Amino acid sequence: EEFGFLTPSDSVSTGSSIMPQKKNPDPMELVRGKSARVVGDLVTLLVLCKGLPMAYNRDLQEDKEPVFDSVKAVTGMLEVSAEFAQNVTFNREKIQKSLPAGHLDATTVADYLVNKGVPFRTGHDIVGRAVALCVSKGCRLQDLSLDELKGITPVFDENVYDYLGVENAVKKFVSYGSTGSECVASQLDFWAAKLGIDRNAYSHRQ
């Protein structure tokens, strides 16, 4: 099994007509399909408005159908997506084991070098050489010794390890709207309060 990061329950999936072991996430496939319809509605509106000089023109009587169609489609997509999200089980252990693959902390190390005064394009090259060393050794960036890192550039020092590893890398994203742990938690709290949802009721699913 190549991924296996999540398993949908039987209530939100169907079987395969030929493979007995397979589960098809039909609701999300339909959501994906509906998105094409919504994009089509957007194109309709853009083409409708592109030639209008100003104010109201009779052309705009044609805007109702794509707008109403989009609202109906997106409302249904959100309802289906919410139902699906509540009926999947995440394989946290497998996800955790897969995270180090691909050197996801490489960009964060480049940011570390920028903070040290290294131009980004130079840092990009430095981290590329570090990744190449990892590939040759069959290891992760965080597994390289400080001497090995300093062999690439003396700019590296002990605190580089605060940027290495997926968990450390994610913590470094702190700008508003970023994917950092604190930013995501803040957004979850905001929307839980806005929607009147008790996050603790879903803590077992995080």
Side-chain angles (χ1 to χ4, degrees):
E1 190 174 61
E2 185 177 1
F3 299 111
F5 295 155
L6 62 85
T7 302
S9 71
D10 291 344
S11 65
V12 291
S13 60
T14 62
S16 166
S17 60
I18 189 172
M19 292 179 283
Q21 83 285 7
K22 187 182 179 191
K23 280 190 171 185
N24 293 318
D26 282 4
M28 301 315 297
E29 292 179 7
L30 292 170
V31 166
R32 182 175 58 194
K34 283 288 185 182
S35 69
R37 181 170 180 161
V38 177
V39 171
D41 287 335
L42 172 61
V43 172
T44 298
L45 289 169
L46 292 175
V47 175
L48 176 65
C49 295
K50 72 177 179 62
L52 301 184
M54 62 176 62
Y56 181 82
N57 291 265
R58 187 64 68 183
D59 313 48
L60 290 175
Q61 70 179 8
E62 292 295 326
D63 67 356
K64 310 303 182 293
E65 185 176 355
V67 169
F68 295 158
D69 180 69
S70 294
V71 170
K72 182 179 179 180
V74 171
T75 299
M77 291 160 67
L78 291 173
E79 291 174 352
V80 169
S81 297
E83 181 68 21
F84 186 86
Q86 294 179 55
N87 286 279
V88 295
T89 302
F90 291 92
N91 188 336
R92 295 172 62 92
E93 183 177 349
K94 191 157 191 177
I95 293 172
Q96 195 72 31
K97 287 181 178 179
S98 300
L99 286 175
H103 308 290
L104 298 179
D105 48 358
T107 304
T108 315
V109 180
D111 291 339
Y112 160 86
L113 292 170
V114 170
N115 290 334
K116 291 282 188 179
V118 178
F120 183 81
R121 62 181 176 181
T122 304
H124 186 285
D125 177 67
I126 291 170
V127 177
R129 283 185 278 154
V131 169
L133 178 59
C134 288
V135 172
S136 68
K137 290 169 60 71
C139 69
R140 304 168 297 176
L141 282 167
Q142 67 198 78
D143 297 326
L144 295 177
S145 69
L146 185 57
D147 287 339
E148 287 175 315
L149 290 170
K150 282 184 172 292
I152 299 172
T153 176
V155 176
F156 285 119
D157 58 29
E158 192 68 40
N159 65 359
V160 68
Y161 293 101
D162 294 336
Y163 290 74
L164 291 173
V166 173
E167 290 188 7
N168 285 337
V170 169
K171 290 177 182 177
K172 296 302 178 183
F173 296 114
V174 295
S175 60
Y176 180 80
S178 75
T179 53
S181 303
E182 291 186 7
C183 296
V184 171
S186 176
Q187 284 296 310
L188 288 173
D189 287 337
F190 172 81
W191 285 105
K194 190 174 183 67
L195 298 173
I197 297 172
D198 180 9
R199 278 193 63 197
N200 293 325
Y202 297 92
S203 60
H204 65 289
R205 303 183 61 82
Q206 294 178 5

